[in-house]
Amino acid sequence: MAAVTAAGYDVTLAQARVLQRIGPSGTRLTELAEAAQVTKQTAGFLVDQLEKAGYVERVPDPTDGRARLVRVTEKAQGAMPVADEEMARIEAEWERHIGKRRMGQLREALEQLGEITDPYR
């Protein structure tokens, strides 16, 4: 988060938790709340903040005229390479400390744990 903030993207950890769960074609607010494991009210509040900052937009759901989708904007997409680069840097640092084999084992273990701790990812 520090690298993303340093690059000029003013996003909180709570906002990022919602932002990273928005699908490529957009996601309904109720689905975002469930995936981020927050209440619908909390998700709505965070999406409101993200929308005001220009990171997301609400658009009509083409499959249901009554529903709306939350979609990421180009501004939010610009933060993704920054976050990816920082994650790669951190993983490379960890690999230097524990070695390639153990880093592979760590990745595998974390993926397996993610299946039970974050079923919406």
Side-chain angles (χ1 to χ4, degrees):
M1 286 303 301
V4 171
T5 302
Y9 298 97
D10 189 23
V11 178
T12 68
L13 187 57
Q15 292 168 340
R17 185 178 172 106
V18 170
L19 192 59
Q20 71 186 44
R21 286 167 170 81
I22 298 172
S25 300
T27 305
R28 290 185 183 182
L29 186 63
T30 53
E31 294 168 345
L32 282 178
E34 186 176 343
Q37 299 179 348
V38 298
T39 65
K40 186 178 174 187
Q41 292 79 10
T42 298
F45 175 75
L46 294 169
V47 167
D48 287 345
Q49 291 178 326
L50 289 165
E51 187 174 33
K52 286 177 188 166
Y55 293 108
V56 301
E57 61 183 353
R58 288 182 170 107
V59 297
D61 184 337
T63 64
D64 181 350
R66 300 166 297 162
R68 302 197 44 86
L69 295 175
V70 178
R71 279 197 320 211
V72 296
T73 62
E74 286 185 28
K75 181 178 181 179
Q77 290 173 353
M80 292 175 194
V82 175
D84 291 345
E85 184 178 315
E86 182 64 5
M87 287 299 299
R89 186 195 66 74
I90 291 167
E91 288 182 13
E93 181 181 336
W94 290 359
E95 190 171 297
R96 284 192 300 276
H97 286 282
I98 66 174
K100 188 172 187 147
R101 183 182 61 78
R102 289 179 64 202
M103 188 64 187
Q105 292 170 334
L106 175 60
R107 278 191 188 103
E108 183 180 337
L110 291 172
E111 284 293 324
Q112 289 175 345
L113 289 171
E115 293 171 9
I116 62 170
T117 61
D118 190 0
Y120 301 101
R121 58 188 190 114

